[in-house]
């Protein structure tokens, strides 16, 4: 396993729409394992592949610090549906260290995805799991928490965001380059 570099606000990969995973190859499983290692090392509860420069629809979650009953979860090609209720809560992001702000999310969502072995599953998530999965799926669509912040909040954070943007824009995009999309994505590089 390997620790991956977490891309900061300003890294172009964070603003791309991630590609769906067409085949769960050994490379994809290695990516999942490395993402878990990277997330735990950074003390995060969720991580999306674009945050490590990989433009693929892969998410890892482990919200057990906030919900002891939660288990580590891999979500490949996750789709959210049947959102219910709304709740505002404070959110941060490993790509925006030191930045927190209120974000309105669905209180409960259903997620359909593939697991690390490529098996389809669905789950209804609530509380911190629901918040985390919506945050991570946003990453797959190139959306960041700051997009949900109020204009006033973004203004207050302006100098912090400018500094992070500068840092992120200097980061390499790898290890998987987002473009061009390979015709056979089972050959997607790591
Ligand atoms: Ni994030």
């Amino acid at each position: 396993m390997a620790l991956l570099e977490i891309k900061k606000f300003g890294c172009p990969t964070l603003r791309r729409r991630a590609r769906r995973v067409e085949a769960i190859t050994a490379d994809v499983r290695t990516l999942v394992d490395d993402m878990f290692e990277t997330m735990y090392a950074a003390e995060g509860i969720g991580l999306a592949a674009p945050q490590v420069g990989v433009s693929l629809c892969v998410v890892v979650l482990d919200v057990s610090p906030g919900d002891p009953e939660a288990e580590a979860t891999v979500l490949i090609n996750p789709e959210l549906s049947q959102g219910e209720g709304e709740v505002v809560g404070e959110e941060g992001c490993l790509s925006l260290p030191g930045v927190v702000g209120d974000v309105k999310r669905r209180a409960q969502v259903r997620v359909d995805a593939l697991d690390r072995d490529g098996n389809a599953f669905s789950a209804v998530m609530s509380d911190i799991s629901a918040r985390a999965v919506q945050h991570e799926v946003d990453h797959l669509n190139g959306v960041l928490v700051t997009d949900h912040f109020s204009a006033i909040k973004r203004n207050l954070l302006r100098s912090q965001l400018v500094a992070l943007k500068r840092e992120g824009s200097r980061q390499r995009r790898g290890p998987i380059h987002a473009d061009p999309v390979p015709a056979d994505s089972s050959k997607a590089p790591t």
Side-chain angles (χ1 to χ4, degrees), residues 46-48 51 92-96 135-136 139 144-145:
L47 189 68
Q51 292 183 273
C93 178
L94 292 176
S95 295
L96 288 134
H135 176 114
E136 301 311 333
H139 275 301
L144 297 171
V145 274

Side-chain angles (χ1 to χ4, degrees), residues 21 23-33 56 58 76 116 190:
V21 173
I24 315 280
T25 59
D27 287 347
V28 170
R29 282 193 288 268
T30 299
L31 170 66
V32 165
D33 297 342
L56 283 176
V58 177
I76 296 172
R116 189 179 177 280
T190 37

